[in-house]
Short mmCIF file of all heavy atoms in Angstrom, two decimals:
data_model
loop_
_atom_site.label_atom_id
_atom_site.label_comp_id
_atom_site.label_asym_id
_atom_site.label_seq_id
_atom_site.Cartn_x
_atom_site.Cartn_y
_atom_site.Cartn_z
N ILE A 57 2.46 20.08 10.14
CA ILE A 57 1.15 19.31 10.03
C ILE A 57 0.98 18.77 8.57
O ILE A 57 0.58 17.59 8.35
CB ILE A 57 -0.03 20.22 10.38
CG1 ILE A 57 0.02 20.54 11.89
CG2 ILE A 57 -1.34 19.74 9.91
CD1 ILE A 57 -0.91 21.57 12.29
N LEU A 58 1.36 19.57 7.51
CA LEU A 58 1.29 19.18 6.17
C LEU A 58 2.27 17.99 5.86
O LEU A 58 1.83 16.99 5.32
CB LEU A 58 1.67 20.29 5.24
CG LEU A 58 1.41 20.09 3.75
CD1 LEU A 58 -0.01 19.89 3.46
CD2 LEU A 58 2.03 21.34 2.96
N GLY A 59 3.49 18.02 6.45
CA GLY A 59 4.37 16.88 6.32
C GLY A 59 3.94 15.60 6.92
O GLY A 59 4.08 14.52 6.53
N PHE A 60 3.31 15.89 8.27
CA PHE A 60 2.71 14.67 8.94
C PHE A 60 1.70 14.04 8.15
O PHE A 60 1.55 12.91 8.04
CB PHE A 60 2.33 15.06 10.27
CG PHE A 60 1.59 14.01 11.12
CD1 PHE A 60 2.31 13.17 11.62
CD2 PHE A 60 0.24 14.16 11.17
CE1 PHE A 60 1.62 12.17 12.38
CE2 PHE A 60 -0.44 13.16 11.97
CZ PHE A 60 0.30 12.13 12.48
N ALA A 61 0.78 14.82 7.48
CA ALA A 61 -0.35 14.26 6.80
C ALA A 61 0.17 13.50 5.48
O ALA A 61 -0.36 12.46 5.27
CB ALA A 61 -1.27 15.42 6.32
N PHE A 62 1.24 13.97 4.89
CA PHE A 62 1.66 13.28 3.81
C PHE A 62 2.29 11.88 4.18
O PHE A 62 2.10 10.94 3.52
CB PHE A 62 2.72 14.07 2.97
CG PHE A 62 2.21 15.13 2.17
CD1 PHE A 62 2.77 16.42 1.93
CD2 PHE A 62 0.96 14.99 1.44
CE1 PHE A 62 2.15 17.44 1.16
CE2 PHE A 62 0.43 15.96 0.73
CZ PHE A 62 1.10 17.22 0.54
N CYS A 63 3.13 11.88 5.27
CA CYS A 63 3.65 10.68 5.83
C CYS A 63 2.49 9.60 6.22
O CYS A 63 2.69 8.52 5.98
CB CYS A 63 4.57 10.99 7.06
SG CYS A 63 6.12 11.82 6.63
N GLU A 64 1.53 10.17 6.86
CA GLU A 64 0.39 9.26 7.26
C GLU A 64 -0.40 8.78 6.14
O GLU A 64 -0.89 7.62 6.11
CB GLU A 64 -0.44 9.98 8.23
CG GLU A 64 0.21 10.05 9.68
CD GLU A 64 0.59 8.67 10.29
OE1 GLU A 64 -0.27 7.75 10.21
OE2 GLU A 64 1.75 8.69 10.72
N ALA A 65 -0.42 9.54 5.00
CA ALA A 65 -1.05 8.99 3.77
C ALA A 65 -0.34 7.85 3.19
O ALA A 65 -0.87 6.83 2.71
CB ALA A 65 -1.20 10.19 2.82
N LEU A 66 1.10 7.96 3.26
CA LEU A 66 1.88 6.80 2.91
C LEU A 66 1.53 5.60 3.65
O LEU A 66 1.50 4.39 3.17
CB LEU A 66 3.31 7.18 2.95
CG LEU A 66 3.79 8.14 1.82
CD1 LEU A 66 5.29 8.42 2.05
CD2 LEU A 66 3.52 7.62 0.45
N ALA A 67 1.33 5.74 4.86
CA ALA A 67 1.12 4.67 5.77
C ALA A 67 -0.32 3.98 5.51
O ALA A 67 -0.38 2.84 5.57
CB ALA A 67 1.08 5.04 7.28
N LEU A 68 -1.24 4.81 5.27
CA LEU A 68 -2.64 4.24 4.85
C LEU A 68 -2.59 3.59 3.54
O LEU A 68 -3.23 2.59 3.38
CB LEU A 68 -3.54 5.42 4.81
CG LEU A 68 -3.91 6.10 6.16
CD1 LEU A 68 -4.85 7.23 6.02
CD2 LEU A 68 -4.55 5.05 7.05
N ILE A 69 -1.82 4.07 2.59
CA ILE A 69 -1.68 3.31 1.38
C ILE A 69 -1.00 2.05 1.57
O ILE A 69 -1.32 1.13 0.91
CB ILE A 69 -0.89 4.32 0.32
CG1 ILE A 69 -1.63 5.44 -0.11
CG2 ILE A 69 -0.39 3.43 -0.86
CD1 ILE A 69 -0.90 6.44 -0.94
N GLY A 70 0.04 2.04 2.50
CA GLY A 70 0.71 0.74 2.87
C GLY A 70 -0.20 -0.24 3.50
O GLY A 70 0.10 -1.45 3.30
N ILE A 71 -1.23 0.21 4.25
CA ILE A 71 -2.07 -0.83 4.85
C ILE A 71 -3.09 -1.38 3.80
O ILE A 71 -3.60 -2.47 3.97
CB ILE A 71 -2.79 -0.23 6.01
CG1 ILE A 71 -3.38 -1.33 6.87
CG2 ILE A 71 -3.92 0.80 5.73
CD1 ILE A 71 -3.90 -0.96 8.27
#
Side-chain angles (χ1 to χ4, degrees):
I57 292 170
L58 189 62
F60 175 73
F62 285 144
C63 287
E64 286 301 312
L66 289 176
L68 292 175
I69 290 170
I71 199 169

